[in-house]
Amino acid sequence: MNKFVKTFAASAVIACASFTAQAQESSSQQSMEQSSQQQMAKYDDATLEKFTMAMEAVSTVANKYDPKFKEVESPEEAQKIQKQAQAEMVDEIEKTGLTVDKYTTIAQRVQTDETLRERVLTIARENQQENS
């Protein structure tokens, strides 16, 4: 597995884990309705391009905070660092024009939908080549 795919997989997992608490705050009925509607939605290339940009930014933030988590000595300190990391991740996602909910939904779908995952990987690879 190449470095890019590993980063992609890690970003999706981090994003889902990071925003689980936010998702739990909404009522379960609303969540189920939104989830059903969003899973039915098809994503255009522009949305998936925003997602790949956000994914890369989230990965960068996660990599920035990873060493800090390894040095944590108390649960309070870990929580403080986690909140800082989440705030930065939210900012980075919103800079791309996506909402956190939409980003999280796409990240979850990418994990289970092989076709969508391939589309995202293709877009990300193309972006990576353009930026090289």
Side-chain angles (χ1 to χ4, degrees), residues 39-88:
Q39 286 191 0
M40 297 297 202
K42 299 286 183 186
Y43 300 107
D44 60 18
D45 286 347
T47 300
L48 294 179
E49 182 150 349
K50 289 177 186 179
F51 173 76
T52 61
M53 291 172 14
M55 179 186 66
E56 188 173 316
V58 166
S59 177
T60 299
V61 171
N63 290 336
K64 172 182 166 184
Y65 281 92
D66 189 46
K68 294 178 183 183
F69 278 115
K70 290 178 182 173
E71 297 172 2
V72 169
E73 295 183 12
S74 71
E76 294 82 16
E77 188 179 353
Q79 189 175 28
K80 180 181 174 186
I81 292 170
Q82 182 180 12
K83 284 182 180 181
Q84 290 173 337
Q86 285 179 340
E88 277 190 50

